[in-house]
Amino acid sequence: MAAYLIADVEVTDAAAFEEYIREVPATEARYGGRYLGRGGATRVLEGDWEPHRLVIVEFPDMHSLLEWYNSPAYQRLKAIRERCAKTRIMTLEGVAT
């Protein structure tokens, strides 16, 4: 069953964030990750929410998502992201089809 990583990213250092943007897709792809949305326009329809840069990545399953997140390759990039952005990240398990 698919699993989704959903992130709300407030970039605080755009120049430093470029390295993260450039390198992270290859790490996700190794675990079957693919972008469903990344940095596009958003519109809040209900509630008190002020999203920044939203990202949705689909993985084949939760195991693959967590393997990617905990991988040494991503941990190096995560350290870069943490220096140049404030991020909220969550996972969502998909539904059986």
Side-chain angles (χ1 to χ4, degrees):
M1 170 176 341
Y4 304 91
L5 178 125
I6 303 167
D8 184 2
V9 183
E10 180 181 359
V11 177
T12 56
D13 181 343
F17 195 67
E18 285 299 317
E19 179 180 3
Y20 178 85
I21 290 173
R22 195 172 48 253
E23 294 187 31
V24 76
T27 67
E28 293 164 334
R30 284 185 224 134
Y31 294 87
R34 68 184 187 102
Y35 287 99
L36 299 182
R38 182 168 102 168
T42 62
R43 180 184 301 172
V44 175
L45 299 179
E46 293 187 26
D48 183 20
W49 186 18
E50 295 180 33
H52 298 90
R53 176 184 171 85
L54 289 181
V55 179
I56 302 172
V57 184
E58 180 183 54
F59 286 86
D61 50 52
M62 190 63 73
H63 178 78
S64 298
L65 187 161
L66 294 174
E67 287 286 307
W68 163 76
Y69 184 79
N70 293 308
S71 71
Y74 183 66
Q75 291 305 300
R76 182 182 72 77
L77 295 174
K78 178 182 173 190
I80 293 169
R81 178 183 49 78
E82 288 175 337
R83 286 192 303 270
C84 60
K86 296 177 186 175
T87 310
R88 292 184 193 144
I89 299 176
M90 63 177 290
T91 65
L92 173 65
E93 193 169 276
V95 296
T97 56

